[in-house]
Amino acid sequence: MLYEVAFGVYDWTQYKAVRVLTRLAREGLQTDQIVEDIISHVDDFRYEAQMPTFYFLSGLTGNKKVASLLQRHFLENLEYDPIDAFDIFENLYRCSPDVAMRHADFLKAIARGEGLEGRSPLLDGAIGTTDENMESKSTTGPTMNLSKSITNYERPYFIIG
């Protein structure tokens, strides 16, 4: 049942099923099989399921297959969407800091605003939202994550030289 939801026709529960599978894999239950299955299907996922899947997979710290998948998607996204590339970079760093830091030049470029010209803060998730009572909610979009990472780059894991 879990596999049917995770790898079947997309609906809003797909990424939740993948989350459960990655939690099982982190606990050591059929880790290799689960990783292989997710990797073999993730390219067919819709964006709405693919991006959370990358985050869930990144919790499998040190997994070379996951790092390879994340690095591939990071490099693919560099071509057309630096904000998505940055989100995937965060996941890659979480999974495999050594592999991620091979791309430190990307952090330098994006910190300088390269590739961000003409982008819409609304589309990049930097615009706050309101709840049903019209009260402001905090913004946690990719641009805010980027800003937080850049302002904290002096931490040892983000020294980019």
Side-chain angles (χ1 to χ4, degrees):
M1 174 79 167
L2 193 56
Y3 266 69
E4 290 173 20
V5 175
F7 305 126
V9 177
Y10 173 80
D11 72 11
W12 64 273
T13 60
Q14 183 177 30
Y15 78 92
K16 293 180 180 204
V18 171
R19 181 180 187 189
V20 172
L21 287 172
T22 57
R23 288 179 68 189
L24 292 171
R26 279 195 322 268
E27 295 294 325
L29 300 171
Q30 298 181 339
T31 301
D32 292 337
Q33 184 63 50
I34 290 171
V35 167
E36 286 291 330
D37 291 338
I38 293 172
I39 288 173
S40 70
H41 288 88
V42 72
D43 288 338
D44 297 325
F45 287 6
R46 286 178 38 178
Y47 176 86
E48 297 85 357
Q50 197 175 58
M51 294 302 278
T53 295
F54 294 152
Y55 174 76
F56 302 142
L57 283 170
S58 71
L60 294 165
T61 307
N63 188 299
K64 291 180 182 180
K65 290 180 181 179
V66 170
S68 178
L69 172 78
L70 295 173
Q71 180 173 271
R72 179 172 59 84
H73 279 272
F74 164 74
L75 293 170
E76 289 173 4
N77 276 274
L78 277 179
E79 297 294 319
Y80 62 91
D81 194 332
I83 296 299
D84 280 351
F86 183 78
D87 283 345
I88 297 168
F89 178 89
E90 287 181 308
N91 295 325
L92 177 57
Y93 185 85
R94 183 173 177 224
C95 177
S96 182
D98 293 340
V99 173
M101 292 315 293
R102 294 179 196 158
H103 306 287
D105 287 345
F106 166 74
L107 289 179
K108 293 176 188 178
I110 205 162
R112 291 187 299 264
E114 294 175 17
L116 301 177
E117 304 84 6
R119 293 186 64 89
S120 165
L122 176 62
L123 294 177
D124 285 343
I127 305 298
T129 59
T130 57
D131 62 17
E132 61 276 356
N133 297 321
M134 299 306 288
E135 294 186 24
S136 185
K137 290 182 170 181
S138 64
T139 302
T140 59
T143 304
M144 295 304 291
N145 292 339
L146 172 63
S147 175
K148 181 172 60 173
S149 295
I150 290 170
T151 58
N152 291 320
Y153 77 92
E154 68 276 358
R155 292 184 182 170
Y157 57 85
F158 263 86
I159 294 177
I160 54 179

